[in-house]
Amino acid sequence: MTENRQIKFSNLKSFHSLPFLILLLSVFISCKKEIKNTKLSGSVFGTGYHVVYGSDINYETQFDSLFYVLNKSMSTYQFNSDISKLNRNESNVVDAHFVNVFKASEEIYKNTEGIFDPTIGAVVNAWDFGPEGKIANLDSLKIDSLMLSVGLDKVKLIDNKISKPKGAFIDFNAIAKGYGVDVIGEFLESKHIKNYLVEIGGEIRARGKNLEKQSPWKVGVEMPHFDGTQSILKAISLNDVAMATSGTYRKFKVDKDGNRYAHIIDAKTGYPSKTNVLSVSVIAENCMMADGYATAFKAMGIERVKSFLKTHPELKVFFVFENDKKEFETLSLNGFPEN
C-alpha cells in the first residue's frame, strides 16, 4: 500500500524507395477519417448524465433504451418496476441487471460486515430520505420494528427469484447509479469504442483518452457546499478506472440543537449516521463497486477505512472532512491521484 498523505485545507530500404514510401504514407493519412468525440447529455435516475466517446455515431436512442430497462428493473421511484413489485410482495422475479447488482451488493455487504446493506430501505424511508416519505411520529419502537427485517443475509437469490422477509424493503440507490455508468460503458465497448467517459450524477467511468485533446480524461472532485453551490476542489486524471463520490453535504437534516445528520442510515442501529466526513471519493475498476464502497466508507469513518484498505489495495480513496475546529481537511489513501 502506498504512503498515505494528509493535507490541511486552508490549500532498410534504399533511398530510391523513400519518395514512394512518402507518397503511400501521404495517401494513407489523407484517406484516414479523423475520429472526433461525440457528446451526449440528458436526464436519468433523477439526475443528469454526460457521455463523451470517440465515434461519430449517435447512440442516444440506445442509451435511452438501456436507461428504461434499468429503471424498469431497479427504480424504487417507479410503481411498476421489478424492485417496487418485490418490495410490495407482488412478485419475486427479477432480471439479469437486478441479479448483477444484488451479487455485487452481497460482496460489499460481506466485506464491510453489514455496513453496506440495501435492505435498510424501509428505515431510510422512515427518516424521509427515501422514495416513500417519512413515517409520522417516528420513535424508537417503530425503528426497532423496522429493523427486524433489515439484513441482506436474510434475502436469498435462487434462479432469478428473490426470497425475502415480508417487511424487507430493498433499495439499490446507493449502487445502481454506478452500475448504470458501467452498463453504458460496456455498451460502448461492445461497439469497439475504446476512448470514452461516462458520467451519471457525478459517478464516472473512463477508458482510453480524450481524443480531442489527446490526453487522459480530466475530472473534478467537488468541494463540499451546504448551500447547494458547486465548485471544484481538485482535478485529477482517470485512465481505465471508475470513480464515485458520496457526500453528506447535499442530503442531511438539522436537529433543534443545530446538529447535522447524514442521509446515510446506520444499518446496525437504524439511526442517521453522525460523522465528520463530508465526502468520500473511491476509485475502482468499475463504477458499481466504487459507488457501493463510497457509501459504505462514509458510514465506516476514516480510521476503519484505513484498516479496511490494508487488505483492499485495489481501492483508492479521498476524504474531505471537518476537524475539531470545523475546518476542512483532506486525506488521500492508497495512492489517490494528485491534481
mmCIF file of all heavy atoms in Angstrom, residues 253-298:
data_model
loop_
_atom_site.group_PDB
_atom_site.id
_atom_site.type_symbol
_atom_site.label_atom_id
_atom_site.label_comp_id
_atom_site.label_asym_id
_atom_site.label_seq_id
_atom_site.Cartn_x
_atom_site.Cartn_y
_atom_site.Cartn_z
ATOM 1 N N LYS A 253 -30.176 16.440 7.509
ATOM 2 C CA LYS A 253 -31.177 17.106 8.334
ATOM 3 C C LYS A 253 -30.487 17.755 9.523
ATOM 4 O O LYS A 253 -29.421 17.295 9.951
ATOM 5 C CB LYS A 253 -32.243 16.108 8.793
ATOM 6 C CG LYS A 253 -33.032 15.503 7.631
ATOM 7 C CD LYS A 253 -34.202 14.690 8.114
ATOM 8 C CE LYS A 253 -34.943 14.052 6.945
ATOM 9 N NZ LYS A 253 -35.498 15.069 6.029
ATOM 10 N N VAL A 254 -31.079 18.812 10.030
ATOM 11 C CA VAL A 254 -30.530 19.536 11.169
ATOM 12 C C VAL A 254 -31.535 19.467 12.312
ATOM 13 O O VAL A 254 -32.719 19.789 12.139
ATOM 14 C CB VAL A 254 -30.234 21.006 10.816
ATOM 15 C CG1 VAL A 254 -29.642 21.735 12.014
ATOM 16 C CG2 VAL A 254 -29.295 21.085 9.611
ATOM 17 N N ASP A 255 -31.083 19.005 13.501
ATOM 18 C CA ASP A 255 -31.998 18.921 14.637
ATOM 19 C C ASP A 255 -32.124 20.270 15.341
ATOM 20 O O ASP A 255 -31.506 21.271 14.943
ATOM 21 C CB ASP A 255 -31.565 17.818 15.603
ATOM 22 C CG ASP A 255 -30.232 18.093 16.292
ATOM 23 O OD1 ASP A 255 -29.769 19.260 16.260
ATOM 24 O OD2 ASP A 255 -29.660 17.147 16.862
ATOM 25 N N LYS A 256 -32.903 20.315 16.398
ATOM 26 C CA LYS A 256 -33.175 21.566 17.092
ATOM 27 C C LYS A 256 -31.928 22.184 17.721
ATOM 28 O O LYS A 256 -31.897 23.375 18.020
ATOM 29 C CB LYS A 256 -34.228 21.336 18.170
ATOM 30 C CG LYS A 256 -33.809 20.323 19.229
ATOM 31 C CD LYS A 256 -34.918 20.085 20.237
ATOM 32 C CE LYS A 256 -34.462 19.066 21.280
ATOM 33 N NZ LYS A 256 -35.519 18.799 22.285
ATOM 34 N N ASP A 257 -30.896 21.343 17.939
ATOM 35 C CA ASP A 257 -29.650 21.831 18.524
ATOM 36 C C ASP A 257 -28.619 22.227 17.475
ATOM 37 O O ASP A 257 -27.489 22.565 17.810
ATOM 38 C CB ASP A 257 -29.053 20.770 19.452
ATOM 39 C CG ASP A 257 -29.972 20.442 20.615
ATOM 40 O OD1 ASP A 257 -30.566 21.386 21.176
ATOM 41 O OD2 ASP A 257 -30.109 19.249 20.941
ATOM 42 N N GLY A 258 -28.999 22.127 16.195
ATOM 43 C CA GLY A 258 -28.101 22.512 15.118
ATOM 44 C C GLY A 258 -27.174 21.410 14.642
ATOM 45 O O GLY A 258 -26.274 21.655 13.838
ATOM 46 N N ASN A 259 -27.383 20.178 15.120
ATOM 47 C CA ASN A 259 -26.549 19.053 14.689
ATOM 48 C C ASN A 259 -27.006 18.555 13.322
ATOM 49 O O ASN A 259 -28.209 18.407 13.078
ATOM 50 C CB ASN A 259 -26.631 17.907 15.697
ATOM 51 C CG ASN A 259 -26.077 18.297 17.053
ATOM 52 O OD1 ASN A 259 -25.005 18.864 17.150
ATOM 53 N ND2 ASN A 259 -26.827 17.994 18.109
ATOM 54 N N ARG A 260 -26.030 18.300 12.430
ATOM 55 C CA ARG A 260 -26.345 17.764 11.109
ATOM 56 C C ARG A 260 -26.330 16.244 11.138
ATOM 57 O O ARG A 260 -25.425 15.632 11.700
ATOM 58 C CB ARG A 260 -25.326 18.248 10.061
ATOM 59 C CG ARG A 260 -25.498 19.697 9.651
ATOM 60 C CD ARG A 260 -24.709 19.968 8.373
ATOM 61 N NE ARG A 260 -23.308 19.627 8.490
ATOM 62 C CZ ARG A 260 -22.358 20.469 8.854
ATOM 63 N NH1 ARG A 260 -22.657 21.706 9.156
ATOM 64 N NH2 ARG A 260 -21.111 20.067 8.926
ATOM 65 N N TYR A 261 -27.343 15.633 10.482
ATOM 66 C CA TYR A 261 -27.411 14.181 10.373
ATOM 67 C C TYR A 261 -27.392 13.803 8.895
ATOM 68 O O TYR A 261 -28.175 14.323 8.101
ATOM 69 C CB TYR A 261 -28.682 13.637 11.028
ATOM 70 C CG TYR A 261 -28.676 13.766 12.543
ATOM 71 C CD1 TYR A 261 -29.104 14.938 13.165
ATOM 72 C CD2 TYR A 261 -28.215 12.724 13.335
ATOM 73 C CE1 TYR A 261 -29.082 15.059 14.541
ATOM 74 C CE2 TYR A 261 -28.197 12.835 14.717
ATOM 75 C CZ TYR A 261 -28.626 14.002 15.313
ATOM 76 O OH TYR A 261 -28.598 14.114 16.679
ATOM 77 N N ALA A 262 -26.482 12.893 8.550
ATOM 78 C CA ALA A 262 -26.350 12.474 7.159
ATOM 79 C C ALA A 262 -27.512 11.594 6.745
ATOM 80 O O ALA A 262 -28.188 10.987 7.571
ATOM 81 C CB ALA A 262 -25.038 11.715 6.970
ATOM 82 N N HIS A 263 -27.743 11.499 5.414
ATOM 83 C CA HIS A 263 -28.792 10.623 4.903
ATOM 84 C C HIS A 263 -28.362 9.158 4.911
ATOM 85 O O HIS A 263 -29.140 8.288 4.538
ATOM 86 C CB HIS A 263 -29.177 11.035 3.481
ATOM 87 C CG HIS A 263 -28.098 10.798 2.452
ATOM 88 N ND1 HIS A 263 -26.999 11.622 2.309
ATOM 89 C CD2 HIS A 263 -27.944 9.829 1.530
ATOM 90 C CE1 HIS A 263 -26.239 11.183 1.330
ATOM 91 N NE2 HIS A 263 -26.786 10.089 0.838
ATOM 92 N N ILE A 264 -27.132 8.895 5.338
ATOM 93 C CA ILE A 264 -26.682 7.521 5.477
ATOM 94 C C ILE A 264 -27.205 6.977 6.804
ATOM 95 O O ILE A 264 -26.882 7.484 7.875
ATOM 96 C CB ILE A 264 -25.139 7.426 5.452
ATOM 97 C CG1 ILE A 264 -24.616 7.994 4.133
ATOM 98 C CG2 ILE A 264 -24.690 5.989 5.635
ATOM 99 C CD1 ILE A 264 -25.094 7.276 2.906
ATOM 100 N N ILE A 265 -28.032 5.931 6.730
ATOM 101 C CA ILE A 265 -28.591 5.321 7.931
ATOM 102 C C ILE A 265 -27.689 4.187 8.387
ATOM 103 O O ILE A 265 -27.295 3.334 7.585
ATOM 104 C CB ILE A 265 -30.011 4.782 7.677
ATOM 105 C CG1 ILE A 265 -30.917 5.904 7.141
ATOM 106 C CG2 ILE A 265 -30.600 4.177 8.941
ATOM 107 C CD1 ILE A 265 -31.081 7.080 8.073
ATOM 108 N N ASP A 266 -27.337 4.181 9.661
ATOM 109 C CA ASP A 266 -26.523 3.116 10.237
ATOM 110 C C ASP A 266 -27.319 1.820 10.220
ATOM 111 O O ASP A 266 -28.373 1.712 10.864
ATOM 112 C CB ASP A 266 -26.141 3.487 11.675
ATOM 113 C CG ASP A 266 -25.099 2.553 12.270
ATOM 114 O OD1 ASP A 266 -25.155 1.350 11.975
ATOM 115 O OD2 ASP A 266 -24.257 3.034 13.052
ATOM 116 N N ALA A 267 -26.837 0.831 9.465
ATOM 117 C CA ALA A 267 -27.563 -0.437 9.325
ATOM 118 C C ALA A 267 -27.565 -1.258 10.597
ATOM 119 O O ALA A 267 -28.301 -2.257 10.688
ATOM 120 C CB ALA A 267 -26.964 -1.251 8.177
ATOM 121 N N LYS A 268 -26.777 -0.867 11.575
ATOM 122 C CA LYS A 268 -26.745 -1.582 12.852
ATOM 123 C C LYS A 268 -27.751 -1.003 13.853
ATOM 124 O O LYS A 268 -28.299 -1.730 14.682
ATOM 125 C CB LYS A 268 -25.343 -1.532 13.462
ATOM 126 C CG LYS A 268 -24.238 -2.062 12.551
ATOM 127 C CD LYS A 268 -24.405 -3.535 12.241
ATOM 128 C CE LYS A 268 -23.230 -4.053 11.430
ATOM 129 N NZ LYS A 268 -23.378 -5.477 11.066
ATOM 130 N N THR A 269 -27.983 0.306 13.779
ATOM 131 C CA THR A 269 -28.837 0.968 14.771
ATOM 132 C C THR A 269 -30.164 1.463 14.213
ATOM 133 O O THR A 269 -31.134 1.624 14.957
ATOM 134 C CB THR A 269 -28.101 2.177 15.377
ATOM 135 O OG1 THR A 269 -27.934 3.195 14.373
ATOM 136 C CG2 THR A 269 -26.736 1.761 15.912
ATOM 137 N N GLY A 270 -30.207 1.769 12.905
ATOM 138 C CA GLY A 270 -31.416 2.325 12.326
ATOM 139 C C GLY A 270 -31.505 3.833 12.424
ATOM 140 O O GLY A 270 -32.520 4.429 12.053
ATOM 141 N N TYR A 271 -30.452 4.473 12.910
ATOM 142 C CA TYR A 271 -30.441 5.920 13.064
ATOM 143 C C TYR A 271 -29.467 6.563 12.072
ATOM 144 O O TYR A 271 -28.490 5.924 11.658
ATOM 145 C CB TYR A 271 -30.061 6.308 14.494
ATOM 146 C CG TYR A 271 -31.167 6.050 15.494
ATOM 147 C CD1 TYR A 271 -31.357 4.772 16.023
ATOM 148 C CD2 TYR A 271 -32.023 7.080 15.898
ATOM 149 C CE1 TYR A 271 -32.388 4.525 16.931
ATOM 150 C CE2 TYR A 271 -33.045 6.840 16.810
ATOM 151 C CZ TYR A 271 -33.224 5.574 17.322
ATOM 152 O OH TYR A 271 -34.250 5.328 18.206
ATOM 153 N N PRO A 272 -29.730 7.834 11.685
ATOM 154 C CA PRO A 272 -28.793 8.525 10.791
ATOM 155 C C PRO A 272 -27.396 8.579 11.389
ATOM 156 O O PRO A 272 -27.231 8.715 12.606
ATOM 157 C CB PRO A 272 -29.393 9.931 10.669
ATOM 158 C CG PRO A 272 -30.837 9.754 10.968
ATOM 159 C CD PRO A 272 -30.902 8.665 12.007
ATOM 160 N N SER A 273 -26.402 8.478 10.529
ATOM 161 C CA SER A 273 -25.014 8.463 10.964
ATOM 162 C C SER A 273 -24.546 9.860 11.334
ATOM 163 O O SER A 273 -24.758 10.819 10.592
ATOM 164 C CB SER A 273 -24.105 7.914 9.858
ATOM 165 O OG SER A 273 -24.458 6.609 9.504
ATOM 166 N N LYS A 274 -23.916 9.967 12.501
ATOM 167 C CA LYS A 274 -23.206 11.193 12.860
ATOM 168 C C LYS A 274 -21.778 11.031 12.374
ATOM 169 O O LYS A 274 -21.104 10.071 12.725
ATOM 170 C CB LYS A 274 -23.219 11.413 14.366
ATOM 171 C CG LYS A 274 -24.533 11.888 14.933
ATOM 172 C CD LYS A 274 -24.398 12.198 16.423
ATOM 173 C CE LYS A 274 -25.678 12.741 17.002
ATOM 174 N NZ LYS A 274 -25.543 13.075 18.448
ATOM 175 N N THR A 275 -21.310 11.944 11.571
ATOM 176 C CA THR A 275 -19.980 11.804 11.001
ATOM 177 C C THR A 275 -19.386 13.168 10.688
ATOM 178 O O THR A 275 -20.112 14.120 10.403
ATOM 179 C CB THR A 275 -20.026 10.948 9.706
ATOM 180 O OG1 THR A 275 -18.722 10.876 9.126
ATOM 181 C CG2 THR A 275 -20.989 11.536 8.692
ATOM 182 N N ASN A 276 -18.051 13.242 10.754
ATOM 183 C CA ASN A 276 -17.360 14.459 10.346
ATOM 184 C C ASN A 276 -16.903 14.375 8.891
ATOM 185 O O ASN A 276 -16.283 15.306 8.374
ATOM 186 C CB ASN A 276 -16.151 14.720 11.251
ATOM 187 C CG ASN A 276 -15.051 13.680 11.086
ATOM 188 O OD1 ASN A 276 -15.327 12.538 10.717
ATOM 189 N ND2 ASN A 276 -13.829 14.061 11.378
ATOM 190 N N VAL A 277 -17.206 13.245 8.234
ATOM 191 C CA VAL A 277 -16.857 13.064 6.818
ATOM 192 C C VAL A 277 -17.869 13.813 5.958
ATOM 193 O O VAL A 277 -19.075 13.577 6.053
ATOM 194 C CB VAL A 277 -16.824 11.577 6.437
ATOM 195 C CG1 VAL A 277 -16.602 11.424 4.933
ATOM 196 C CG2 VAL A 277 -15.719 10.859 7.208
ATOM 197 N N LEU A 278 -17.394 14.723 5.130
ATOM 198 C CA LEU A 278 -18.265 15.482 4.240
ATOM 199 C C LEU A 278 -18.417 14.806 2.891
ATOM 200 O O LEU A 278 -19.489 14.854 2.280
ATOM 201 C CB LEU A 278 -17.721 16.900 4.055
ATOM 202 C CG LEU A 278 -17.606 17.726 5.341
ATOM 203 C CD1 LEU A 278 -16.995 19.083 5.047
ATOM 204 C CD2 LEU A 278 -18.966 17.879 6.011
ATOM 205 N N SER A 279 -17.365 14.196 2.407
ATOM 206 C CA SER A 279 -17.455 13.424 1.161
ATOM 207 C C SER A 279 -16.320 12.417 1.103
ATOM 208 O O SER A 279 -15.266 12.618 1.712
ATOM 209 C CB SER A 279 -17.407 14.333 -0.075
ATOM 210 O OG SER A 279 -16.098 14.803 -0.332
ATOM 211 N N VAL A 280 -16.570 11.339 0.382
ATOM 212 C CA VAL A 280 -15.538 10.337 0.142
ATOM 213 C C VAL A 280 -15.618 9.913 -1.315
ATOM 214 O O VAL A 280 -16.698 9.601 -1.827
ATOM 215 C CB VAL A 280 -15.674 9.123 1.092
ATOM 216 C CG1 VAL A 280 -17.067 8.526 1.031
ATOM 217 C CG2 VAL A 280 -14.622 8.065 0.794
ATOM 218 N N SER A 281 -14.486 9.968 -2.002
ATOM 219 C CA SER A 281 -14.391 9.540 -3.397
ATOM 220 C C SER A 281 -13.590 8.246 -3.457
ATOM 221 O O SER A 281 -12.556 8.127 -2.805
ATOM 222 C CB SER A 281 -13.709 10.608 -4.259
ATOM 223 O OG SER A 281 -14.451 11.810 -4.259
ATOM 224 N N VAL A 282 -14.075 7.289 -4.245
ATOM 225 C CA VAL A 282 -13.432 5.985 -4.365
ATOM 226 C C VAL A 282 -13.142 5.695 -5.826
ATOM 227 O O VAL A 282 -14.023 5.836 -6.681
ATOM 228 C CB VAL A 282 -14.315 4.865 -3.784
ATOM 229 C CG1 VAL A 282 -13.666 3.499 -3.986
ATOM 230 C CG2 VAL A 282 -14.590 5.115 -2.304
ATOM 231 N N ILE A 283 -11.918 5.302 -6.120
ATOM 232 C CA ILE A 283 -11.530 4.854 -7.453
ATOM 233 C C ILE A 283 -11.405 3.343 -7.436
ATOM 234 O O ILE A 283 -10.742 2.770 -6.578
ATOM 235 C CB ILE A 283 -10.201 5.496 -7.897
ATOM 236 C CG1 ILE A 283 -10.388 7.000 -8.112
ATOM 237 C CG2 ILE A 283 -9.670 4.837 -9.172
ATOM 238 C CD1 ILE A 283 -9.111 7.736 -8.486
ATOM 239 N N ALA A 284 -12.089 2.693 -8.388
ATOM 240 C CA ALA A 284 -12.074 1.235 -8.506
ATOM 241 C C ALA A 284 -12.086 0.869 -9.989
ATOM 242 O O ALA A 284 -12.178 1.741 -10.859
ATOM 243 C CB ALA A 284 -13.275 0.622 -7.790
ATOM 244 N N GLU A 285 -12.032 -0.424 -10.261
ATOM 245 C CA GLU A 285 -12.012 -0.874 -11.656
ATOM 246 C C GLU A 285 -13.329 -0.560 -12.355
ATOM 247 O O GLU A 285 -13.355 -0.178 -13.519
ATOM 248 C CB GLU A 285 -11.721 -2.376 -11.728
ATOM 249 C CG GLU A 285 -11.642 -2.903 -13.155
ATOM 250 C CD GLU A 285 -11.345 -4.389 -13.214
ATOM 251 O OE1 GLU A 285 -11.161 -5.009 -12.149
ATOM 252 O OE2 GLU A 285 -11.287 -4.934 -14.332
ATOM 253 N N ASN A 286 -14.454 -0.748 -11.652
ATOM 254 C CA ASN A 286 -15.746 -0.421 -12.242
ATOM 255 C C ASN A 286 -16.527 0.501 -11.313
ATOM 256 O O ASN A 286 -16.235 0.625 -10.125
ATOM 257 C CB ASN A 286 -16.543 -1.683 -12.589
ATOM 258 C CG ASN A 286 -16.932 -2.487 -11.358
ATOM 259 O OD1 ASN A 286 -17.690 -2.031 -10.501
ATOM 260 N ND2 ASN A 286 -16.417 -3.717 -11.259
ATOM 261 N N CYS A 287 -17.523 1.167 -11.860
ATOM 262 C CA CYS A 287 -18.221 2.210 -11.125
ATOM 263 C C CYS A 287 -19.215 1.644 -10.115
ATOM 264 O O CYS A 287 -19.486 2.291 -9.094
ATOM 265 C CB CYS A 287 -18.934 3.137 -12.111
ATOM 266 S SG CYS A 287 -19.320 4.771 -11.418
ATOM 267 N N MET A 288 -19.767 0.485 -10.372
ATOM 268 C CA MET A 288 -20.692 -0.117 -9.418
ATOM 269 C C MET A 288 -20.022 -0.358 -8.073
ATOM 270 O O MET A 288 -20.572 0.005 -7.024
ATOM 271 C CB MET A 288 -21.250 -1.436 -9.969
ATOM 272 C CG MET A 288 -22.108 -2.218 -8.980
ATOM 273 S SD MET A 288 -22.981 -3.611 -9.723
ATOM 274 C CE MET A 288 -21.613 -4.583 -10.375
ATOM 275 N N MET A 289 -18.829 -0.951 -8.087
ATOM 276 C CA MET A 289 -18.124 -1.213 -6.833
ATOM 277 C C MET A 289 -17.650 0.087 -6.188
ATOM 278 O O MET A 289 -17.711 0.241 -4.960
ATOM 279 C CB MET A 289 -16.949 -2.155 -7.078
ATOM 280 C CG MET A 289 -17.348 -3.502 -7.671
ATOM 281 S SD MET A 289 -18.586 -4.391 -6.682
ATOM 282 C CE MET A 289 -17.565 -5.008 -5.339
ATOM 283 N N ALA A 290 -17.192 1.039 -7.000
ATOM 284 C CA ALA A 290 -16.784 2.336 -6.454
ATOM 285 C C ALA A 290 -17.951 3.017 -5.762
ATOM 286 O O ALA A 290 -17.806 3.588 -4.667
ATOM 287 C CB ALA A 290 -16.231 3.224 -7.578
ATOM 288 N N ASP A 291 -19.128 2.958 -6.355
ATOM 289 C CA ASP A 291 -20.335 3.572 -5.806
ATOM 290 C C ASP A 291 -20.716 2.940 -4.466
ATOM 291 O O ASP A 291 -20.973 3.628 -3.475
ATOM 292 C CB ASP A 291 -21.478 3.416 -6.815
ATOM 293 C CG ASP A 291 -22.608 4.411 -6.590
ATOM 294 O OD1 ASP A 291 -22.469 5.292 -5.722
ATOM 295 O OD2 ASP A 291 -23.621 4.306 -7.302
ATOM 296 N N GLY A 292 -20.751 1.620 -4.433
ATOM 297 C CA GLY A 292 -21.119 0.922 -3.207
ATOM 298 C C GLY A 292 -20.142 1.166 -2.077
ATOM 299 O O GLY A 292 -20.547 1.432 -0.929
ATOM 300 N N TYR A 293 -18.855 1.096 -2.377
ATOM 301 C CA TYR A 293 -17.850 1.307 -1.339
ATOM 302 C C TYR A 293 -17.823 2.759 -0.866
ATOM 303 O O TYR A 293 -17.555 3.025 0.324
ATOM 304 C CB TYR A 293 -16.471 0.881 -1.824
ATOM 305 C CG TYR A 293 -16.219 -0.595 -1.676
ATOM 306 C CD1 TYR A 293 -15.978 -1.409 -2.779
ATOM 307 C CD2 TYR A 293 -16.236 -1.196 -0.417
ATOM 308 C CE1 TYR A 293 -15.755 -2.772 -2.637
ATOM 309 C CE2 TYR A 293 -16.007 -2.559 -0.269
ATOM 310 C CZ TYR A 293 -15.774 -3.342 -1.379
ATOM 311 O OH TYR A 293 -15.560 -4.685 -1.227
ATOM 312 N N ALA A 294 -18.095 3.725 -1.739
ATOM 313 C CA ALA A 294 -18.138 5.118 -1.318
ATOM 314 C C ALA A 294 -19.216 5.322 -0.261
ATOM 315 O O ALA A 294 -19.004 6.025 0.735
ATOM 316 C CB ALA A 294 -18.385 6.035 -2.522
ATOM 317 N N THR A 295 -20.361 4.694 -0.449
ATOM 318 C CA THR A 295 -21.438 4.768 0.542
ATOM 319 C C THR A 295 -21.022 4.112 1.848
ATOM 320 O O THR A 295 -21.227 4.665 2.938
ATOM 321 C CB THR A 295 -22.710 4.106 0.004
ATOM 322 O OG1 THR A 295 -23.126 4.774 -1.198
ATOM 323 C CG2 THR A 295 -23.832 4.160 1.018
ATOM 324 N N ALA A 296 -20.438 2.932 1.751
ATOM 325 C CA ALA A 296 -20.018 2.208 2.954
ATOM 326 C C ALA A 296 -18.944 2.982 3.715
ATOM 327 O O ALA A 296 -18.997 3.081 4.951
ATOM 328 C CB ALA A 296 -19.501 0.826 2.576
ATOM 329 N N PHE A 297 -17.969 3.535 3.013
ATOM 330 C CA PHE A 297 -16.856 4.228 3.660
ATOM 331 C C PHE A 297 -17.320 5.482 4.386
ATOM 332 O O PHE A 297 -16.746 5.875 5.405
ATOM 333 C CB PHE A 297 -15.785 4.588 2.638
ATOM 334 C CG PHE A 297 -15.034 3.392 2.098
ATOM 335 C CD1 PHE A 297 -14.190 3.520 1.003
ATOM 336 C CD2 PHE A 297 -15.180 2.139 2.676
ATOM 337 C CE1 PHE A 297 -13.491 2.426 0.516
ATOM 338 C CE2 PHE A 297 -14.492 1.033 2.187
ATOM 339 C CZ PHE A 297 -13.645 1.181 1.104
ATOM 340 N N LYS A 298 -18.358 6.110 3.879
ATOM 341 C CA LYS A 298 -18.886 7.291 4.547
ATOM 342 C C LYS A 298 -19.445 6.923 5.917
ATOM 343 O O LYS A 298 -19.314 7.664 6.888
ATOM 344 C CB LYS A 298 -19.956 7.937 3.668
ATOM 345 C CG LYS A 298 -20.404 9.293 4.143
ATOM 346 C CD LYS A 298 -21.199 10.003 3.070
ATOM 347 C CE LYS A 298 -22.342 9.151 2.562
ATOM 348 N NZ LYS A 298 -23.135 9.862 1.552
#
